[in-house]
Amino acid sequence: AAAALGAGRPRWARRAAALCGLVGVLAVRWSSHGREDRNAAPGALSAAFVSAASQGGGSALRGAAVARHAYEPILRRDPLRNEKLQKYVRQQVRFWKRARGLPEDAEAEKKKNAYLTKLGLASKIQDSSKIPPWHLRHPAPGDVYEGTFMHPELTNEDRLDLTFTINSPTEGTISSEKGRFDETVTIKQDFPIEFEPGEARTRDQAHYIFCKFNPAWRDFESDLPPAEECFKYITHSMLQLWFLQATQVEGFPSEEEFRENAAEPDKGMTMDEFLKYTTSEDPEYVHKTFKGVFTGRRIQFEEDDLSFDGDFIPDAPGNIIGFLTANGREGGTFDLELKAPRREGGRRPKAAERRAAKERRRAAGGGSA
């Protein structure tokens, strides 16, 4: 009967019916995750985060080296949609930090540090600006993210379990036990920005700038430009727009100065010309102004019916948070957190270590706690 009822209906509609049939008896409650506004400076984001990586990340989050990928155009998002997403993310990051006893903002962080100093524990204060973002080496094949999702047309406002497994940089799987699906998804993601100072970081940031200030990329009515076009030139008008957003200086540089520093000014400045122009006097100039244009690293993954659009959350280690669209209909959200890799026997390291410690206590005649 169920098969007959679903026959001839779109797959997303059959899925919605199956999910809605569950929510009458399902009440999933979950401690949410989050992060600060991407429009804020990265330094401000870091200042609001203290040592969560060492507390909750585990081995899955270690390592500062960037997972190198070929440069591809960064992902776009409608500004109004992004504003709504950031509001949701700010809420989630507060919940995430509160659940872990972490300061929820820079002011709370300042008070905590002052208290530690008063107690003579200044050595316990960590400079979060020196902690590399957790996602520089992620997503990586074998990563497993677990969390929940919600969409009004699918779950009736209740949250269902969600697992996102990475198979390769461009492919993964999403599954839900209560949602009764297991699907292959295609993955798109922004390239990571090198954390350590140097030429690699400067070039990563320059590629981000060239893409974001490419006229074709900024035309949301058209497809993303191919990589070979996205990073080729930056025009005079786009360079002026970059300076305006990065430094609040209007009308700079002049057309005369631009032409003096570009071999083919009618096409624009090349990447090397741009770097020579901006970093010849200060090698860190691009980095110092980058916070004015950087809106965070994004990831999108989708299959036929479901489309997930989220951000890597720098101050909630392991977290990816975003919006869910079902069959073209917006209104959903999802929250995922990277889990520590499993060892032989399917046990996660911490659980296996706890069991081993328990066995040692028993062998020593100490019983169990």
Side-chain angles (χ1 to χ4, degrees):
L5 181 62
R9 301 171 68 188
R11 186 157 64 94
W12 74 270
R14 298 197 301 271
R15 176 179 294 165
L19 290 174
C20 289
L22 291 170
V23 297
V25 294
L26 178 66
V28 178
R29 295 295 179 262
W30 181 63
S31 177
S32 300
H33 314 304
R35 73 174 182 108
E36 294 295 337
D37 191 344
R38 287 300 189 190
N39 293 321
L45 299 180
S46 298
F49 161 57
V50 174
S51 192
S54 62
Q55 294 181 36
S59 60
L61 304 179
R62 290 177 190 151
V66 166
R68 281 288 151 205
H69 304 293
Y71 288 115
E72 295 291 339
I74 58 176
L75 302 176
R76 295 186 296 203
R77 184 180 294 147
D78 177 80
L80 293 179
R81 177 180 171 87
N82 187 56
E83 184 178 346
K84 293 178 182 178
L85 190 149
Q86 301 314 323
K87 182 178 180 180
Y88 171 72
V89 162
R90 287 194 298 271
Q91 177 190 57
Q92 298 304 90
V93 78
R94 286 196 295 270
F95 293 154
W96 189 88
K97 290 179 178 179
R98 191 176 302 160
R100 289 154 181 79
L102 297 172
E104 295 180 26
D105 54 34
E107 186 61 29
E109 174 67 13
K110 184 178 179 181
K111 290 180 179 178
K112 178 183 177 181
N113 289 344
Y115 181 67
L116 289 173
T117 301
K118 184 178 180 180
L119 295 177
L121 299 174
S123 60
K124 299 291 185 180
I125 299 174
Q126 294 193 15
D127 184 353
S128 55
S129 67
K130 296 180 180 179
I131 300 175
W134 68 269
H135 55 79
L136 295 187
R137 299 177 71 178
H138 299 282
D143 280 358
V144 177
Y145 299 80
E146 295 178 353
T148 64
F149 76 100
M150 178 280 295
H151 194 286
E153 295 194 17
L154 302 180
T155 69
N156 195 29
E157 303 293 344
D158 287 296
R159 302 197 73 86
L160 305 186
D161 64 286
L162 178 66
T163 299
F164 177 35
T165 303
I166 308 299
N167 301 330
S168 75
T170 59
E171 184 180 284
T173 59
I174 55 170
S175 61
S176 174
E177 181 178 346
K178 295 182 174 68
R180 300 177 183 175
F181 63 80
D182 189 337
E183 304 284 352
T184 298
V185 292
T186 57
I187 301 172
K188 297 178 181 179
Q189 58 179 298
D190 291 345
F191 54 84
I193 305 292
E194 173 62 59
F195 179 75
E196 298 297 333
E199 183 180 358
R201 181 174 72 180
T202 300
R203 284 203 168 268
D204 285 351
Q205 293 170 335
H207 277 80
Y208 184 97
I209 291 166
F210 263 54
C211 190
K212 189 168 186 177
F213 291 88
N214 181 297
W217 185 91
R218 301 177 78 85
D219 180 6
F220 277 51
E221 299 299 319
S222 302
D223 293 336
L224 281 172
E228 59 270 21
E229 296 298 326
C230 204
F231 307 114
K232 203 168 186 180
Y233 297 105
I234 185 168
T235 65
H236 179 225
S237 61
M238 289 293 102
L239 184 62
Q240 286 187 327
L241 182 59
W242 172 68
F243 269 109
L244 176 62
Q245 291 191 14
T247 68
Q248 288 74 56
V249 175
E250 291 191 57
F252 183 83
S254 66
E255 183 174 357
E256 180 181 2
E257 183 170 339
F258 181 82
R259 289 184 169 276
E260 289 175 355
N261 289 276
E264 299 180 280
D266 291 334
K267 294 182 178 179
M269 274 187 182
T270 65
M271 184 76 66
D272 288 339
E273 288 169 342
F274 170 79
L275 291 173
K276 181 180 178 180
Y277 180 68
T278 55
T279 64
S280 58
E281 295 183 5
D282 182 359
E284 289 292 290
Y285 185 81
V286 172
H287 175 67
K288 291 175 181 177
T289 56
F290 192 60
K291 65 184 180 181
V293 299
F294 184 57
T295 51
R297 186 180 174 210
R298 297 168 177 171
I299 182 172
Q300 296 173 355
F301 47 101
E302 62 182 9
E303 46 93 63
D304 290 342
D305 304 331
L306 304 178
S307 179
F308 298 79
D309 177 17
D311 288 353
F312 296 93
I313 313 303
D315 52 341
N319 282 252
I320 298 174
I321 300 175
F323 280 173
L324 166 63
T325 300
N327 195 47
R329 294 174 171 83
E330 298 183 357
T333 62
F334 72 94
D335 305 75
L336 292 166
E337 185 167 6
L338 177 63
K339 298 304 176 183
R342 296 179 184 271
R343 293 175 180 167
E344 292 184 8
R347 298 175 179 175
R348 291 198 178 98
K350 288 186 177 180
E353 289 165 7
R354 286 196 298 268
R355 278 186 280 270
K358 187 175 181 180
E359 291 300 322
R360 287 195 296 270
R361 288 197 299 271
R362 284 178 177 171
S368 59

